[in-house]
Amino acid sequence: SDKCPLLRVLPVMIPPPRSSKISTRNFIVVFLGILCILVPVRKKGLGLSVVGELLPKRHRLKAKVLQHNLVSSIQKSKHCRNSHSICAEDRYIIQWKGDGVEGYTSPFRHMEFQNAFAASSNRTNAIKFQDLDVNPSNEKQLLQLLRIEHAAADDDNDDDGGTNSIASRIYLAEASQRCASVRSIYHVLACGDSLEACGDEAASNFKISTFSSGSWCIRVKNLNSSMRSLEESTVLSSMSGFFQLLDGRVDLTHPQNLFHVWQGLSGNANDKLSPFLLTRQIATGFDLSFYKPNTRECVTSTPLDPIAAFIMVNAGRVSRDVHVLDPYAGSGSVLLAASAVAHNVVTIGIDRDETIHFPSIIKDFHHRSLTPPSGLIRGDFRNASIRQQAKKSALSATLSLSSESSSAFQGFDAIITDPPYGIRERLDSDPLLDLFRIIALENENDVRCTMQTQQHKGRFINRCRE
């Protein structure tokens, strides 16, 4: 099927059997469908028209549309594989948040998204971001082209939307949904110098299993103020070859598949963008409106901004079933973000401030249907007994979530915190340096305990042998 693109359209032309038995009717359709591939395409209609008559009425339109695009798909197949255009590879357009907001910078955006992708996929694929030229120029930094570099061993299994591409698309969606800096991410389906060419390419690359059955709608994004915006009715009529393949109903309010036609984008020399792009929105970024300080039960004088909290949690690659410690928990912003981005996260918070109301922090979690912290401890984390209490709380939570032995908890997977400056708190030492010293001390103790355990284990084995 890799060398014969027509094989990919057979599932569209052939209706699935209604039972496990293969009827004579279905066998004839399959046979004639294969015959269409063997017959030279220049003989228009030979075989395809016969198949169209055998199909139910609801499938005939698809067969006709595919018949129209068979020649162009063969001609484009080899060219698209070797081309350096945006449509030649599995690429995406990412729209960032933060237009005019201080603190949103490209390094933070890229760092958060790359680590969120690593946490969601457990992969080390390199993600490349490339600027897009947009008019007006002040929107340039808000739109970028995104490409995932797959390993060379995966290339043979990743052609034309293979398993690797589908998995990457799922992980990209999961990463976007947990990022504070992402507004939306779009999968590029086709591009062309005209709407008709863009629609024909989308139809020839159409895969019925991806989004054909869900509800849908089309929107136009004009990013060039000097260009006249397209009407949606014009887009539908010009790209009818693609939209007629969709089985789902039109839903203008809450569609399952939101398509966009882009105008006014241009790329660099390595990524030539056509005047028209067809994309499908695959995810939107995390909605922080319910995590702002004015929506919280626990209010402090210096709350951590939720944008910073989510960026820190994603930078820490918090994923399912990990243990997170915040030694300067405050109102619990970091703990909230950690519970929001992944399931079954065991969170522990320590703070010495007597004015912080811990029951209010618990309410903040319940109001957002999140798993509350497994432990909120009042005290100074520099105290060994306080740290031991935090470990016991994490161990207890681990045992309640898992039926495994106590060895399931080997320590905290991430320490994520916003340490105070120490001036208002009148601390006698630098909180950040104290944190590093404690981490080094705990690691040294863990190494000693491990060595002692191994020595005792060796002695025990030797006694058993004796």
Side-chain angles (χ1 to χ4, degrees):
S1 62
D2 181 47
K3 297 182 179 179
C4 187
L6 296 186
L7 279 175
R8 301 185 185 278
V9 304
L10 276 178
V12 182
M13 294 190 294
I14 303 168
R18 297 183 179 180
S19 64
S20 58
K21 299 180 180 180
I22 300 179
S23 63
T24 305
R25 174 188 178 91
N26 287 328
F27 176 78
I28 295 175
V29 173
V30 173
F31 175 76
L32 291 177
I34 297 175
L35 178 64
C36 297
I37 297 176
L38 301 178
V39 174
V41 183
R42 63 177 179 270
K43 298 181 180 181
K44 297 181 179 179
L46 182 57
L48 277 175
S49 59
V50 180
V51 175
E53 294 299 325
L54 290 175
L55 293 177
K57 291 182 178 180
R58 66 180 182 275
H59 291 282
R60 291 181 186 176
L61 179 60
K62 293 182 181 180
K64 292 180 181 179
V65 173
L66 288 168
Q67 177 184 0
H68 174 73
N69 293 319
L70 286 179
V71 178
S72 60
S73 66
I74 294 177
Q75 293 174 348
K76 293 178 181 178
S77 177
K78 186 174 182 180
H79 170 72
C80 289
R81 294 176 192 273
N82 300 325
S83 173
H84 294 287
S85 68
I86 185 176
C87 301
E89 302 179 28
D90 211 18
R91 300 199 177 184
Y92 305 83
I93 292 178
I94 187 166
Q95 185 176 15
W96 302 103
K97 293 180 183 177
D99 39 331
V101 179
E102 184 180 1
Y104 277 105
T105 60
S106 293
F108 275 111
R109 291 167 175 159
H110 297 172
M111 179 268 295
E112 182 192 23
F113 190 86
Q114 288 171 338
N115 285 286
F117 180 82
S120 300
S121 63
N122 198 23
R123 292 183 175 185
T124 57
N125 301 74
I127 298 179
K128 300 296 183 181
F129 298 96
Q130 298 174 1
D131 289 335
L132 296 174
D133 294 331
V134 181
N135 189 2
S137 59
N138 58 3
E139 294 187 15
K140 180 177 180 179
Q141 62 173 346
L142 300 182
L143 286 173
Q144 285 188 313
L145 193 64
L146 183 150
R147 177 171 60 89
I148 300 179
E149 291 189 349
H150 299 294
D154 297 334
D155 290 344
D156 295 336
N157 299 325
D158 191 40
D159 194 35
D160 287 341
T163 305
N164 201 50
S165 291
I166 296 175
S168 297
R169 201 171 306 145
I170 294 174
Y171 294 139
L172 282 174
E174 292 179 356
S176 301
Q177 290 168 353
R178 56 182 282 169
C179 281
S181 57
V182 174
R183 189 176 302 279
S184 299
I185 186 168
Y186 308 87
H187 182 212
V188 178
L189 302 178
C191 58
D193 295 331
S194 64
L195 288 176
E196 291 77 7
C198 189
D200 289 343
E201 181 174 340
S204 63
N205 296 332
F206 182 78
K207 297 173 179 61
I208 193 170
S209 61
T210 52
F211 47 77
S212 61
S213 59
S215 60
W216 61 277
C217 76
I218 180 71
R219 293 286 183 260
V220 177
K221 282 184 174 288
N222 184 9
L223 302 177
N224 193 337
S225 57
S226 62
M227 296 177 61
R228 181 180 178 183
S229 298
L230 294 170
E231 297 290 339
E232 294 175 1
S233 57
T234 304
V235 174
L236 288 173
S237 60
S238 301
M239 305 178 67
S240 59
F242 169 75
F243 291 110
Q244 287 177 348
L245 299 176
L246 303 178
D247 288 334
R249 61 184 179 86
V250 175
D251 187 348
L252 301 179
T253 55
H254 302 289
Q256 294 173 291
N257 299 292
L258 179 57
F259 298 98
H260 287 91
V261 172
W262 299 70
Q263 295 177 264
L265 280 177
S266 60
N268 53 34
N270 296 325
D271 289 286
K272 300 177 181 178
L273 297 184
S274 299
F276 300 99
L277 262 71
L278 175 64
T279 65
R280 172 176 170 261
Q281 180 176 289
I282 61 173
T284 57
F286 198 94
D287 184 10
L288 299 178
S289 59
F290 198 37
Y291 289 80
K292 294 181 179 179
N294 58 3
T295 65
R296 302 275 300 279
E297 290 285 339
C298 183
V299 180
T300 58
S301 57
T302 57
L304 180 63
D305 189 278
I307 299 174
F310 275 81
I311 290 179
M312 291 165 61
V313 165
N314 283 314
R317 298 189 180 184
V318 173
S319 58
R320 187 183 181 93
D321 298 329
V322 303
H323 300 77
V324 178
L325 171 66
D326 185 356
Y328 298 103
S331 61
S333 299
V334 170
L335 305 181
L336 269 175
S339 295
V341 301
H343 296 290
N344 291 347
V345 177
V346 177
T347 56
I348 304 292
I350 302 175
D351 205 287
R352 56 183 289 176
D353 192 347
E354 297 288 343
T355 63
I356 296 177
H357 192 231
F358 285 166
S360 297
I361 296 179
I362 302 297
K363 288 183 180 179
D364 283 328
F365 280 81
H366 288 316
H367 290 171
R368 292 160 180 81
S369 301
L370 300 175
T371 303
S374 301
L376 291 174
I377 303 168
R378 187 90 61 187
D380 192 338
F381 88 101
R382 294 176 296 180
N383 190 327
S385 61
I386 296 297
R387 298 197 302 273
Q388 189 63 28
Q389 187 178 348
K391 294 178 184 179
K392 290 182 179 179
S393 299
L395 175 59
S396 177
T398 303
L399 294 176
S400 63
L401 293 175
S402 175
S403 59
E404 299 177 0
S405 63
S406 60
S407 61
F409 176 69
Q410 300 293 339
F412 290 100
D413 302 286
I415 299 177
I416 306 174
T417 189
D418 176 33
Y421 291 108
I423 300 175
R424 183 174 60 88
E425 295 81 3
R426 296 181 180 180
L427 300 178
D428 54 358
S429 59
D430 188 329
L432 188 59
L433 293 179
D434 287 340
L435 177 60
F436 286 130
R437 292 192 187 100
I438 294 300
I439 293 175
L441 177 63
E442 290 289 336
N443 288 336
E444 183 180 358
N445 292 336
D446 290 341
V447 171
R448 290 177 179 176
C449 291
T450 302
M451 293 176 62
Q452 292 176 1
T453 302
Q454 291 175 350
Q455 292 175 359
H456 289 308
K457 183 178 180 181
R459 296 173 183 172
F460 177 74
I461 293 177
N462 292 331
R463 290 178 182 178
C464 291
R465 288 176 179 175
E466 294 176 356

